[in-house]
Amino acid sequence: MNKNIVCIGAGYIGGPTMAVIAKMNPDRRVIVVDINKERIAAWNSKDFNLPIYEPGLVEIVKEVRGRNLFFSTDIKKAVRDCDIVFVGVNTPTKMFGKGAGRASDLQYWEATARNIKDWAKCPKVVVEKSTLPVRTAAAMDAILNSEVKVRGESERRMFTVLSNPEFLAEGTAIKDLLDPDRVLIGGPQDTPGQAAVQAVVDIYLGAAGNWVPRTRILTTNVWSAELTKLAANAFLAQRVSSINAIAGLCEATGADVDEVAQVIGADKRIGPKFLKAGPGFGGSCFKKDVLNLVYLCETFGLHTAAEYWMGVIKMNDHQQERIVSRLFKEMFNTLANKKIALFGFAFKADTGDTRETPAGTVARLLADEHVNLTITDPKALGNAKNDLRDLKGVVYEIDPYKAAKGADAVVLMTDWALYPTLDWAKIYATMRKPATVFDTRNCLDATNLRKLGFRVLNIGK
Ligand code: UDX
Ligand code: ADP
């Protein structure tokens, strides 16, 4: 059996996933391809200046690149030479026409399906990795299997389409891949479908059979796998919105949201994770997946369910508006010409990713108030500059001490481990008084900050 694997799309999903697949399957050749030449050049760079930052990623790429992991722009050749194709191209929210602002834009994905069809010379297993709205595997199946039949075997499908949604979280991607809670593979229930599922199960078992335990590899039909991905992310997003909704009530009534969350999480039925109040969720998946779910519900006439899930997004947007209005109130109802330093711009710690970051929304709301904005972040300054390129006068500063110099307020947006370790007395000394810290992640020692002289704001306290 040809053991080559190709992954189309060398992004946040394709890159790390294939690096770990190559590590755990040294007997297979894994090729990651992309239309973006710069991205591929970065993956191939001599000094391992990779296009994305993930703890532990560079070490694995150093181990496997050139051994059995390769990055290339020759998509045609790679597709022709393999028998399993993973598709990890981006499916951003559609911004035009039907379903605008809700549905996924599938144009990149459809182009990929058509290319695979045109280039393939032998039967292939095609595995969806991108988050796709439910039932797109059927569309992919229809495109791929139109006009093509395996010579002499008219009954046999040329392509078998599976869904293998990715559950990795950024910042812990390598850990999540090496030791996943579960791997989900959805496939057709017929014999060739089940053979294709087994081929992908074998990849996750690893060459030595010691990667993912078989009991954690769950197989379902294709539709269940696709819907599970959306539902799982919607449940997680909903938890964040739920605790943030409680946070507002805590601020109004004098309760402490961290205490409330701790007690709620002690109930084994609920569990302690994903109950941290903060500036709201960001990242490429949560908003997009919840919006997809809303769109699906609307499509099937389930309007109350659509409204329910839309509430998760509304609550999230409200959280960022609330942060700015509290700051406004705290700073004597005017922010114009005050200097505010945003500590952190990434949507969470340990990533340089800024897609849908709450810090972006807060920065724009502050700019509307004519704030002099300085942004600092250890990994995301490049992306921040690009995201806010239309805003004039924003200062980008890697050094948090310099960023805070002369500021009226520091607004901590990202829970980087670095921030609680800073010398806050030194920061206080250089700020304009009264000096305010708004810790939207509740990760600083508020008692100590108050002792130093800061006015301190928290979420849910
Ligand atoms: C998420 C899912 O966790 C992952 O399974 C899926 O494959 C992709 O989407 P990711 O977006 O990388 O992963 O980050 P995640 O750690 O889930 O955090 C999402 C957002 O929620 C972040 O902005 C984070 O700061 C926020 N969050 C998370 C909270 O505000 N409170 C919490 O308790 C947890
Ligand atoms: P994700 O978070 O889903 O991995 P990214 O945007 O990080 O999303 O990565 C998706 C990658 O897919 C990008 O590098 C993009 O250039 C690539 N891509 C999009 N369309 C195609 C295509 N038709 N062929 C090959 N690569 C593609």
Side-chain angles (χ1 to χ4, degrees):
M1 182 188 148
N2 173 355
K3 293 198 130 192
N4 285 1
I5 295 171
V6 66
C7 175
I8 305 180
Y12 280 93
I13 291 180
T17 310
M18 292 304 131
V20 174
I21 285 182
K23 177 183 164 66
M24 303 312 285
N25 292 276
D27 56 334
R28 293 173 191 265
R29 228 175 120 79
V30 181
I31 305 172
V32 187
V33 293
D34 203 293
I35 37 172
N36 185 331
K37 290 193 177 62
E38 290 83 49
R39 220 168 212 200
I40 291 296
W43 281 110
N44 278 326
S45 59
K46 275 207 183 78
D47 56 352
F48 292 89
N49 191 11
L50 306 182
I52 61 171
Y53 169 73
E54 266 304 329
L57 174 64
V58 79
E59 290 78 4
I60 294 183
V61 174
K62 278 182 183 164
E63 180 188 334
V64 295
R65 196 181 76 188
R67 180 189 82 181
N68 66 326
L69 177 69
F70 304 91
F71 295 92
S72 163
T73 50
D74 194 344
I75 308 177
K76 191 170 176 176
K77 182 174 185 313
V79 168
R80 201 172 272 170
D81 292 348
C82 75
D83 63 351
I84 300 183
V85 186
F86 284 85
V87 182
V89 304
N90 37 341
T91 50
T93 301
K94 201 176 169 204
M95 295 321 279
F96 55 89
K98 192 166 154 44
R102 300 255 206 293
S104 276
D105 187 344
L106 296 176
Q107 56 175 321
Y108 307 104
W109 169 89
E110 183 173 330
T112 308
R114 289 184 187 279
N115 285 340
I116 297 172
K117 184 191 101 179
D118 293 342
W119 297 333
K121 291 271 186 284
C122 58
K124 293 191 196 301
V125 175
V126 177
V127 188
E128 289 177 5
K129 262 271 162 230
S130 326
T131 304
L132 291 166
V134 186
R135 295 208 170 257
T136 37
M140 190 173 242
D141 201 292
I143 295 171
L144 285 173
N145 287 309
S146 64
E147 308 165 44
V148 279
K149 292 218 173 81
V150 177
R151 228 169 282 140
E153 294 177 62
S154 57
E155 292 303 307
R156 202 166 131 206
R157 270 195 303 263
M158 176 79 167
F159 299 97
T160 307
V161 181
L162 307 183
S163 168
N164 170 220
E166 191 50 72
F167 293 110
L168 63 82
E170 284 173 35
T172 54
I174 299 301
K175 201 175 127 280
D176 296 343
L177 283 162
L178 287 171
D179 184 24
D181 287 350
R182 78 296 206 200
V183 166
L184 174 58
I185 305 167
Q189 303 297 297
D190 56 9
T191 310
Q194 289 305 298
V197 168
Q198 187 56 47
V200 177
V201 168
D202 289 343
I203 295 174
Y204 285 102
L205 291 171
N210 64 353
W211 180 10
V212 185
R214 184 63 187 85
T215 46
R216 283 199 234 157
I217 304 178
L218 310 177
T219 58
T220 62
N221 74 36
V222 180
W223 324 129
S224 300
E226 288 181 306
L227 182 59
T228 301
K229 169 71 191 216
L230 294 188
N233 276 343
F235 270 56
L236 291 170
Q238 183 251 41
R239 270 175 84 102
V240 176
S241 277
S242 294
I243 198 67
N244 283 339
I246 298 297
L249 196 56
C250 289
E251 286 159 29
T253 56
D256 179 328
V257 77
D258 288 336
E259 289 177 355
V260 174
Q262 197 188 0
V263 180
I264 294 175
D267 184 329
K268 284 202 185 68
R269 293 168 301 176
I270 298 174
K273 295 193 178 147
F274 260 77
L275 285 178
K276 185 90 188 117
F281 56 78
S284 70
C285 284
F286 280 5
K287 188 170 180 189
K288 188 182 76 174
D289 287 353
V290 176
L291 286 173
N292 260 317
L293 203 54
V294 169
Y295 182 66
L296 274 173
C297 292
E298 278 169 357
T299 304
F300 292 103
L302 301 164
H303 299 295
T304 308
E307 256 173 56
Y308 172 77
W309 289 113
M310 200 62 205
V312 170
I313 306 264
K314 279 194 192 146
M315 184 60 230
N316 199 54
D317 293 344
H318 177 61
Q319 193 69 349
Q320 288 127 49
E321 289 155 17
R322 245 166 41 75
I323 287 171
V324 175
S325 26
R326 268 187 85 196
L327 200 60
F328 184 82
K329 219 166 121 201
E330 178 72 8
M331 297 178 75
F332 321 110
N333 297 310
T334 172
L335 293 173
N337 296 317
K338 287 185 176 154
K339 178 175 170 181
I340 295 183
L342 291 192
F343 273 33
F345 197 82
F347 78 96
K348 64 175 190 179
D350 293 326
T351 177
D353 195 353
T354 61
R355 287 178 289 179
E356 303 293 344
T357 181
T361 312
V362 167
R364 285 182 187 283
L365 291 170
L366 291 175
D368 287 346
E369 294 295 338
H370 298 182
V371 162
N372 296 328
L373 205 56
T374 297
I375 295 174
T376 180
D377 189 291
K379 294 281 177 199
L381 276 194
N383 282 335
K385 268 184 212 167
N386 188 43
D387 295 354
L388 303 177
R389 60 192 177 279
D390 57 307
L391 291 189
K392 302 261 171 312
V394 180
V395 176
Y396 301 91
E397 172 56 64
I398 191 84
D399 179 348
Y401 294 103
K402 285 190 188 149
K405 200 169 169 212
D408 295 276
V410 166
V411 182
L412 187 148
M413 293 300 304
T414 312
D415 45 343
W416 285 106
L418 161 79
Y419 295 145
T421 69
L422 295 175
D423 181 347
W424 286 91
K426 185 171 151 189
I427 291 175
Y428 182 76
T430 66
M431 284 174 69
R432 198 155 83 122
K433 311 296 178 313
T436 301
V437 170
F438 193 161
D439 175 9
T440 74
R441 298 280 185 171
N442 296 347
C443 66
L444 303 175
D445 180 347
T447 314
N448 182 45
L449 290 179
R450 287 197 179 97
K451 263 195 217 143
L452 294 173
F454 282 108
R455 305 168 80 183
V456 182
L457 296 176
N458 285 102
I459 291 282
K461 293 175 197 251

